[in-house]
């Protein structure tokens, strides 16, 4: 019973991410069909349409696609930051023993694809795309695992999630250090001061969503103008959110019983019946106290993470896929074929070899050990699926080749091909590995 209660939230997370992966796939297909239809020009016009604010000496106008990539994706990166903080403090990578196996696998999944990309690349102009094949799309990966049902043990899904989170840490650092240009350090200083102030406020006083959202918008704008990609602000802001509850469950339970008894007493004294639609003043007061208690007993980090998962899974990531996956695929289009092939190979071969090789070496050198109930054939399947790098790969592609439409679209096609091959091969390996057990 205890084990079931512990695993249920994670199982819900897997279900959510799996559905998100399927929705991502659907929006990718829609974008590709629209972009390659007779109405393809309207797809391009939609995402290049400029919207924003303009008054007196201030103007903030961007094409719609940049509001998605710089704005909505900052919320996605904020969620990544919340997940990172939770995992580091109380999750699957909060101890050296827990983190060892996914960490070693993630290191291989970063080093080998990057090294392979640089080795295959013959054009100095496209060398800056080395970060594209380094990330795994957790939503797509878990969606593939979900189609296998009970063939995949829960411990394997936990390993994939931990591995992908460590992968995300590497991707965030790469974006911050290598894909930020023309840095305005004064704006960064202002942003960091506000982040520090917000963290101190939450630590010394009390968590406030209203104050947080106002300062978050200001900090996002400062990072936007600083030259550091504004999504990094989302990650940094996440680390200011408290994970500790201000009230423990025992105190909450005692107060809950008291409130319940008070409401029953008040209702009986007032002659309450089921047909009455409005509450009495005393009942309203007790419910207001209950709201305050509910706020105090929640972990702010856990609460925000729970609320944002659905928003990102069912809205932000599908919109991102819809805005970015619409590549015109035609024999008349001037694709950079070597770049396209390099990306596809680096994603599939690089991730597969990197994750599998480092996982194997880690176990042989006694640095790590396989998760419970998992065999190495299944690790090979996960290693292949790790090459599904859709969301983060396209995101880094847009940063690496900003302004170079041919390179951006060529890399996108490579990402789609590499991810598709990785997903299919990984699925087949996992299906076969189970049958042979």
């Amino acid at each position: 019973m205890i084990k079931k209660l512990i695993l249920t939230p994670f199982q819900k997370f897997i279900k959510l991410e799996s559905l998100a992966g399927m929705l991502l796939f659907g929006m990718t297909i829609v974008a590709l069909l629209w972009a390659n239809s007779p109405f393809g020009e309207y797809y391009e016009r939609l995402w290049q349409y400029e919207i924003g604010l303009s008054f007196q000496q201030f103007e903030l106008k961007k094409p719609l696609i940049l509001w998605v990539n710089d704005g909505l994706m900052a919320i996605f990166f904020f969620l990544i930051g919340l997940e990172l903080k939770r995992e580091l403090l109380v999750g699957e990578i909060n101890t050296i023993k827990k983190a060892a196996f996914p960490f070693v696998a993630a290191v291989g999944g970063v080093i080998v694809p990057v090294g392979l990309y640089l080795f295959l690349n013959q054009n100095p102009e496209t060398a800056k795309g080395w970060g594209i094949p380094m990330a795994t799309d957790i939503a797509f990966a878990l969606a593939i695992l979900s189609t296998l049902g009970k063939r995949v043990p829960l411990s394997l899904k936990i390993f994939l999630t931990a591995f992908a989170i460590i992968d995300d840490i590497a991707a965030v650092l790469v974006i911050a250090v290598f894909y930020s240009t023309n840095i305005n350090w004064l704006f960064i200083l202002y942003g960091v001061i506000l982040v520090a102030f917000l963290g101190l406020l939450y630590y010394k006083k009390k968590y406030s969503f209203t104050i947080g959202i106002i300062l978050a918008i200001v900090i996002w704008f400062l990072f936007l103008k600083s030259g550091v990609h504004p999504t990094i602000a989302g990650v940094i802001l996440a680390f200011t959110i408290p994970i500790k509850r201000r009230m423990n469950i025992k105190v909450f339970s005692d107060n809950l019983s008291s409130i319940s008894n008070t409401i029953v007493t008040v209702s009986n004294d007032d002659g309450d019946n089921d047909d009455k639609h409005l509450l009495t003043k005393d009942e309203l007061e007790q419910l207001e106290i209950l709201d305050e208690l509910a706020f105090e007993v929640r972990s702010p980090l856990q609460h925000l993470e729970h609320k944002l998962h659905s928003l990102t899974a069912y809205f932000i990531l599908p919109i991102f896929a819809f805005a970015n996956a619409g590549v015109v695929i035609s024999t008349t289009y001037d694709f950079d074929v070597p770049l396209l092939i390099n990306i596809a190979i680096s994603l599939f071969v690089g991730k597969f070899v990197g994750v599998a090789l480092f996982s194997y070496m880690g176990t042989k050198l006694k640095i790590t050990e396989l998760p419970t109930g998992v065999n190495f054939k299944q690790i090979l399947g996960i290693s292949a699926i790790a090459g599904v790098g859709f969301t983060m790969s396209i995101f880094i592609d847009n940063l690496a080749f900003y302004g170079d439409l041919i390179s951006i679209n060529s890399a996108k096609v490579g990402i789609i091909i590499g991810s598709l091959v990785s997903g299919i091969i990984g699925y087949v390996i996992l299906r076969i590995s189970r049958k042979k057990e």
Side-chain angles (χ1 to χ4, degrees), residues 409-428:
N409 286 339
S410 300
K412 282 181 183 178
V413 174
I415 291 166
I416 292 170
I417 293 172
S419 297
L420 186 62
V421 172
S422 297
I424 292 171
I425 298 298
Y427 174 88
V428 171

Side-chain angles (χ1 to χ4, degrees), residues 86-99:
R86 172 178 52 78
E87 290 294 328
L88 288 168
L89 294 178
V90 296
E92 291 301 318
I93 55 175
N94 69 322
T95 66
I96 294 176
K97 184 177 180 180
K98 285 183 179 180

Side-chain angles (χ1 to χ4, degrees), residues 186-199 219 222-223:
L186 186 60
F187 280 136
I188 290 179
L189 178 62
Y190 291 152
V192 169
I193 289 173
L194 284 179
V195 169
F197 169 75
L198 190 61
I219 292 165
L222 289 170
F223 272 78

Side-chain angles (χ1 to χ4, degrees), residues 375 377 428-437:
N375 59 53
K377 298 190 200 81
V428 171
I429 292 174
L430 286 173
R431 195 171 184 91
I432 292 173
S433 69
R434 181 67 179 182
K435 284 183 178 181
K436 288 185 177 181
E437 282 299 293

